[in-house]
Each structure stands twice: as structure tokens, then as C-alpha cells.
Amino acid sequence: MTERSFRFILGISLLILLYFHLDIGIYIYIGILLFEGLTNWRIPIIASRMRYGSAYNPQDLSNADCAAIPFDAERVLRLLVAGFLVVTFVLFKEEVWFFPWFIGFMLFMAGMTNICPMVMGLRWLGFR
Amino acid sequence: MQGADHGTVTDNWTRNWQASIAVKITAIVIWAIILIAFVLSIFLLKDLDREIQADYELKADQIAYQIAMLWADANSLSDEQLGLELRARFEGLGFTGLVLSAGEERMQVGRIQGYPDSVFRRIPMSREDAMPVDVRAYYPDPHALAREQRNHLTIGLFAVLLVFGVFITWATRIVLHRPLQALMTAIRAISDGDQKVRFDTNRQDEFGTLSRFFNAMLDQLMRQKEALQQALDEAESASRSKSAFLANMSHELRTPLNAIIGYSEMLQEDAAELGNTRSVQDLQRIHTAGRHLLTLINGILDLSKIEAGKMQLDVARFDVEGLVQDVVATLKPIMDANENDLVVHCAPDLGVMESDETKLRQTLFNLLGNAAKFTDQGTVTLEVSRHGHAGEDWLRFVVKDTGIGIPVDQMSRLFQDFSQIDSSSSRKYGGTGLGLAISRRYCQMMGGDIEASSRVGEGSIFVVRLPVASPTLRAGAVAEKAVSAEPITTEVPAVAAGPIPAGGRRILVIDDDPGTRELLGRYLAQAGVEVLQASSGEEGIARARQELPDLITLDVRMPDLNGMTVLRTLKEDPALRQIPVVMVSMEDFSEDWHEAGAAAFLTKPVDRNRLGELVQTCLLPEGDGSVLLVDDNDGTRALIARTLQEAGLPVIEAEDGIRGLELMRRHKPSLVLTDIIMPRMNGFDFLDEIHRDPALCDIPVVVMTALDLSEQDRARLSGRAYWVMEKNPDMRAEILKQIRDCRKATGVCPDGSA
């Protein structure tokens, strides 16, 4: 499983959870993202290792050696998305109701096109 | 993206932005639309719940009015009918329930539990005694309703964006991607070599313009390529013409000079015999002028060859000190002519060199010759040393003299063509002014160079630096000479120059030039040889079959059949195969002539002494004249025997030393080729036995071995073997060469005649 396909799944999941008002699902969603971000036990990596064995080596860290900040951009993405959802869905649900939808749309588009502006921006900032 | 080994799954962020143009455009457009849509929705939907509430307030007025109308007719309706009428009205407006109360009476319609939000209206009655009716209409949570509406709107937007995105992608592919794909396909076809591909120029947009420019560029490139091809063809034609010119001029210029030099020499001898001193002097002048002209022509042709890039290096491995000694020995008479002392210092570690021995020899001849020429009663020093530089071994030849020196203003022209110190030097010192120019070019071809320094009145120093291994090796051809660094030789008497000792034999001279035929004929006739002549290759073959001569001299360049073709024809004829053939030519013969079966090679103008040596070597001597081949390996024996037989040498074979001794005593061969490791009697014992027998000890023995000889082995062979060579795939040519050198060096026939 690549990060691209996982972003697609995240986007679709979030949109479905939002449409059907499955607040519990969204809390679980936030929890998974926080877990991935804090531990770096990312679902794409786990799924790939289950499929390909321990030989799997995530090649998304192409500029790992020259990264200024030794922290994975994908982890930062998950933490940021979780944080945004906490703020916009849990704390200020009515005021910024649109933001979770926006996150869902962007994740979906990132999965469809393999172009994730946030990850690109994070890597430009120096994350691994 | 899956890795080929299924162990890696890549999602390189740089590849994220390397998606198809259609995807990039779609993504950018969709992002923009998402942003705009969300910004708009924020402003448009921010008060949605209040609007919903206001809407319910409005609807409450409507329901109140409808209830007032109903209440006026309430007496004609039962409670049930009234309830149904009310339900129909409020549910159509979106309320969930109504509570009507008038005084103590209270009526509830629909659902009110769980709906905290309601709208209150008091409906006054027209009759004075009637109580006003209080209406409370309950409706769903406006926040939930607003949320619901926002969800529907957002999903609707999502669907629209999805469709729009697909449309954008499709449109981009049609408008951008397909033309680009066509361009890429055409460019790929062109890079694969299909130069006739052209783009479709029917489009009027930017792609059409790009296509037209590409087509124009391709047409221009094709024209340039054709022009370059034409220029290349012309250059190759000019090069071929130049080569043909050089070859023809070489032949056309040297042929008459050959006659001038040769006949003047012969006439000198005749005049000397008759005592005509004055004619001798005149003929000497003619001879000298001819030699000088030949030197000049050789220099010019060599220079032309070098300039045309036709001069090749004939790279072989040779002993440096041996070459130096050879050069020094040859130049000694020239040194003595001006009473100069020649001092030679050779470093002990000179070793062997892989380069063109002939050109190096020529260079040293030139430098030492110049030193001798321009020095009178002085000292000429030759120092040879070996040193390392930039990881390579180099050899340094320094020629110093105490001669007249070179003026400073002449130094810059020293290595130019036809450059001499001054115009009078050619009259005083001779020379053509080409020697240094050619020598420098030779050195540069061999990967080195020549430097010069001088002081007028004190002398000059010329330094030649050459790499030990020439960088311009001929492909796959480094001829191996004797492998051992310390060749084992025996002292043999030098060849006697003079009349050609070949009495009673017949020699066929095949040459299209009557002058050469006449000259060679006279040289050979003086030795009592019967000379047969043929003016063409075909005539030569016919006369050889008819007369079966003892030796054939064969010109290389002939108009009908060239020399190599005649040689092959002779060697294919069993009756003529054994006749030794000496090739004669104007040019340096680079083809492997001895592989074709020739016994020797002579350059024109033919040197009488050299001709004599070759005839002496190649003519089968009276008596046995065979070569004894001693080797226990049948295959090796057959191979070498065939090589010798093709060269016109009769072969006797023996499988070990005991048999070899037997055959030697019976046949007295001219030369013995022997292996070392053999059964019954090995090579060492064989040589010991030969050395003990006075009748056999003068027969030269060449040892062929694959054995890695120790110092002890070499010591044992020293004094007994003429030469030791390694068995290798190229040994056949080496064997023939050693046989010729050996026979030349011995100059002795088995019957003892010189």
C-alpha cells in the first residue's frame, strides 16, 4: 500500500464519516492519525510489510539523507490533519464546519492525483 | 509504485509533482475550485441556521392563519377531523407537531417530544366571548437542519467537482496530452533513426506552429547531414588519392633511381677493373648524387606519408641495449671519418621496449649522424637511461656533441622541414634538412618527443624521451621476440660479405621493370648463377614450372598479377612450394609476408651485399641443407614441420634426443630445433651430446620450450644453444626468423664453404 492510496482512503473515509454524521467514527479516525503520527507506525508501511515481508523498505524517504529536519513529513501530515480535525470538528464544530470537509476533499484529491501539496510543502520546509 | 522485487513500494514526493500534465492541470483546477467553493460557502451558509429559524417563524404565521380559518369552522368538525386537517397543514410546512390551547382546552397534534424548539402564536377570536387560541408549533433543531443542508450541499459540490475534474482531465488529454504524445512518438522515432518522420502540420494552434518548426529543423539537419556525408566522401576520396599518389610516386621515383644507383655502381667496378680512374670518379659522383636524391625522395615520401596519416608504427618488443649497440656499430665509420670519439653510457636497467624499433633506430641514426657530421675531432656522447614518470616507464636518449653548435635564432626552425643551419651547410655538410623533422614526427607517433639545446662553438644536446610501451600499439599485434630477458646466445662467426656464393645454381628474377631485372641479373651472374628472367607474374609462374629454379626473386608491384598473388600461386603448387622466394619492393612491406611463405624481403634499390646474404641464406646449400626437428609432441612437430616446408626448408623429424643424434650423424642438418622435455633423452642431455661430438658441435641449435627456465637451466644451455624461444601461438613466425638469423649469422654451409 502506498501513501498515495492511503491518502485516498483517508479522504473518502472522512467524507463518508462527515456525511453520515458518524462522530464516533471521526474520533476514531483522529485517534488513528495521532497514533500514526506519534509512533510512525504508519498503516501503509504495516500493510506493505505484511504483504512483502520485512524486506519492504519505504522509498518515500528519497531525500532522507539530506533532510534538514529528521522527522518524516508523512508523520507531520498525520499530526496536522489530526490537529486540524480536533480543532475544527471537536472544538469549533459550528464555526468552522467546512474545514473537515475541506480536509476530506484535499486528501481525496491527493490520493487521486498523487500530488499532495502539504507533503510537498513539508519536505520543502526540510522534513524528511 | 511497485518495485520490481516486490520488496519496495515507492511514493517519492518528487514524483508527486512529476505526474502527467493532464493530472497536474486537473489537480490545480480542482484545488482552485475547492478553495473558491469553500470560501463562497462560508459566506453563503454561515447564517443558515438563523435563516431556517426565520423561515419557521414565517411558516408559523401561515399556520396560525390556517388554524384561525379552521377554528372558525371547528364546530362543524369533529376533533378527529380537526386533527387531520391540522396535521396536513403543519407537516407540509415542516413542523413536527402542534399544541393548541384555548382556556382549559388543549389539543396536541403530531410529535413534540424531543423537539425543544417551537414557535408561539396567539390567535385572537372574533367573538367577544371566545377565548384566544394559543398555538405552539414545534420544529426540528435548526442547527441539525443546517448541518444536514450543508452536508447535502457539500456532497453535491463534491459530485459536481468530480464530474468537472473528469471532464477537465479528458479535455486536457484531448487538447494537450494527445498532441504532446504524438510529438513524443515522432521524436522517439527520429532518435531511433527514422529520419523521414515528420510532424502533422494541419493544426493552427501552438502545436501546429511547433510541428512546423520541428519539421523545418529536421529538414535542415538532414541537409547538413547530407552535406557532411558528401564532405566525408570527398575527404575519403582525397585520402585514397593521396595514398595512391604516395604509393605510385614511391614506385615511380625509386625505380629509375634504383637503376641509376645500381648501374653506376656496376660501371664503377667495370671502370676500376679497366683502370679508368677518371671514369671511376665521374661514376662515383653519379652514384653519390643518386644516393643523395634517393635519401631526399625517401625523406619527402616519409614526410608525406606522416602528414597524410598513413605512416604506421610497427610495434614490437626489443632489447634497448641491443639496438643501441647495433646503431653504434653501424655509425662507427662515420664517427671515424671526422676523428670523433663516440662515448656510450647505457644504464643497467634499460630492459626491453615496446615500440617501433625501425623508427627509433632511424631517429638515433639521424641524431648521431648529425652529431658526427657537425663535430670535428670532438666527442659525441650517447646516454640512455630509464626513469618513471606519471606512473609510466620512460626511456631517455641523450645525444651530446662538441661540434659547431646551433645559433639561437635557428633553434626555432630546427625541426621544420628542409631546415638547415644555413644555405651553405648543405654544400659543406650535405643533408636534406628533413632528418630532424622526420625524427621528431616519429618520436611523437611513438608517444614521446625530441628536445634540443645548443651553444655556438660548444656543441648541442638532443634529448629523445619515449615511453617504454608505445601508446599507439597496432591492434592485437605486439610481436614477441625471445621471451627471456637474458638471451642465451653462442658466439658465431659474422657473415662474410662479397660475391654471392651460389655457384651452379639457377635463380629466376620476376620483375616488370627491365632495369631491375638487368641489375639483379648482373649481380647474380657475377656469382656464377644462371639467371632466368620473367617480366610478369604469369610468365614467372610459367617459367618456374618449366625451369624449377633454386631461388626466385619476386617483385611485389607488377601490373598484371601482383607479387603476393604470384607468391600464393607458387606456394600452392606442390612442385614449386619448396623453392625459396625473396620478395623485392620499393615500399616498406607491412603485410606478413613470411606468413604467406616468402623466405625474405628486400627493398629497392637492392643492396648487393644484402642480396648476397639472402641468397646465401635462402639457397639450399649443397648436401643436406635440412632442418632437424626434435620434439616428442606429434602435433607440435607437424605444425613446425609444415611451417618450415612452406618456407622451402626440408625437414627431418625426431621424437627424442637419441633419435635426433642418430639423424644428425647421418644427415648433418644445417640447423636443429629441439624441445627440452622429451622421453629417453631430454633437451639438456641432447645438447650435451652434440657439444661432445666434434662432428656435430658446429651445427646451431635453437631450443623451443614451454618450460620456465631457472638460472641453472640457462647456465646449462649457455654456450650450447644458439637461441632459446618460448612455445606460443606465434612461434611459427619467430622460428622462421630465428632460422634466417641463425643461418645468416653462421654463413656456413655444412660442407664448410663460406
Side-chain angles (χ1 to χ4, degrees), chain B residues 24-271:
Chain B
K24 287 180 193 173
I25 292 175
T26 303
I28 291 170
V29 170
I30 297 295
W31 288 339
I33 292 176
I34 288 173
L35 278 173
I36 294 169
F38 272 103
V39 167
L40 284 176
S41 63
I42 289 167
F43 287 104
L44 294 175
L45 302 179
K46 65 179 177 180
D47 294 324
L48 189 60
D49 52 350
R50 277 204 287 272
E51 287 175 8
I52 292 172
Q53 194 150 0
D55 186 49
Y56 275 121
E57 293 285 342
L58 203 62
K59 287 175 186 174
D61 293 334
Q62 289 179 11
I63 201 77
Y65 177 76
Q66 288 174 14
I67 290 172
M69 293 296 108
L70 273 176
W71 203 260
D73 296 327
N75 293 331
S76 61
L77 293 170
S78 66
D79 288 347
E80 192 178 345
Q81 284 172 328
L82 184 61
L84 286 170
E85 287 292 328
L86 286 172
R87 185 186 292 276
R89 281 164 174 73
F90 73 73
E91 280 184 352
L93 292 174
F95 292 101
T96 62
L98 279 178
V99 173
L100 299 170
S101 55
E104 299 294 326
E105 292 178 19
R106 190 173 181 274
M107 182 181 184
Q108 179 182 327
V109 183
R111 300 185 306 276
I112 64 171
Q113 293 291 333
Y115 296 99
D117 297 297
S118 61
V119 180
F120 176 79
R121 291 289 185 271
R122 176 162 281 181
I123 304 172
M125 294 292 113
S126 59
R127 292 202 328 251
E128 287 183 5
D129 58 346
M131 294 188 74
V133 177
D134 293 332
V135 177
R136 188 166 286 281
Y138 291 84
Y139 56 86
D141 183 8
H143 300 293
L145 279 175
R147 196 162 54 239
E148 198 71 29
Q149 284 191 13
R150 285 198 295 259
N151 284 0
H152 291 311
L153 276 170
T154 308
I155 290 298
L157 177 67
F158 174 74
V160 167
L161 285 176
L162 199 61
V163 171
F164 189 63
V166 169
F167 172 76
I168 293 276
T169 306
W170 173 81
T172 309
R173 282 190 181 277
I174 296 292
V175 173
L176 277 180
H177 200 260
R178 278 191 193 167
L180 275 177
Q181 199 71 34
L183 270 174
M184 288 193 300
T185 304
I187 290 170
R188 191 178 297 122
I190 291 166
S191 66
D192 287 341
D194 184 359
Q195 313 246 335
K196 301 217 183 299
V197 170
R198 291 294 181 271
F199 299 111
D200 177 18
T201 57
N202 288 330
R203 301 170 72 103
Q204 298 303 317
D205 56 7
E206 288 83 351
F207 282 111
T209 306
L210 185 62
S211 301
R212 281 188 285 278
F213 280 130
F214 257 116
N215 288 346
M217 182 185 72
L218 288 169
D219 291 337
Q220 178 73 7
L221 281 173
M222 286 293 292
R223 281 194 292 272
Q224 284 176 353
K225 186 184 171 187
E226 283 166 8
L228 281 172
Q229 185 63 40
Q230 192 179 353
L232 177 65
D233 292 339
E234 285 170 5
E236 284 175 349
S237 173
S239 176
R240 283 193 294 272
S241 301
K242 207 181 276 188
S243 298
F245 169 79
L246 283 172
N248 290 337
M249 280 301 107
S250 174
H251 185 267
E252 296 303 323
L253 289 173
R254 287 176 174 148
T255 300
L257 271 176
N258 183 32
I260 291 170
I261 293 167
Y263 278 114
S264 62
E265 204 173 287
M266 297 197 67
L267 287 171
Q268 267 186 75
E269 289 173 7
D270 293 342

Side-chain angles (χ1 to χ4, degrees), chain B residues 538-610:
Chain B
E538 284 182 9
E539 185 186 343
I541 294 170
R543 287 215 74 179
R545 288 189 176 129
Q546 186 185 353
E547 305 287 347
L548 293 178
D550 298 293
L551 182 85
I552 298 174
T553 68
L554 176 59
D555 186 22
V556 172
R557 283 175 63 94
M558 290 188 290
D560 55 347
L561 281 181
N562 67 41
M564 283 304 293
T565 308
V566 173
L567 177 65
R568 288 193 191 102
T569 308
L570 290 172
K571 292 303 167 186
E572 283 166 6
D573 190 333
L576 305 176
R577 187 179 297 152
Q578 303 284 349
I579 302 173
V581 178
V582 175
M583 310 296 290
V584 183
S585 175
M586 294 291 182
E587 301 141 2
D588 295 332
F589 200 5
S590 62
E591 197 170 337
D592 206 359
W593 46 269
H594 56 78
E595 286 288 341
F601 184 82
L602 272 177
T603 50
K604 291 179 182 178
V606 173
D607 180 76
R608 266 176 66 179
N609 291 335
R610 179 72 182 138

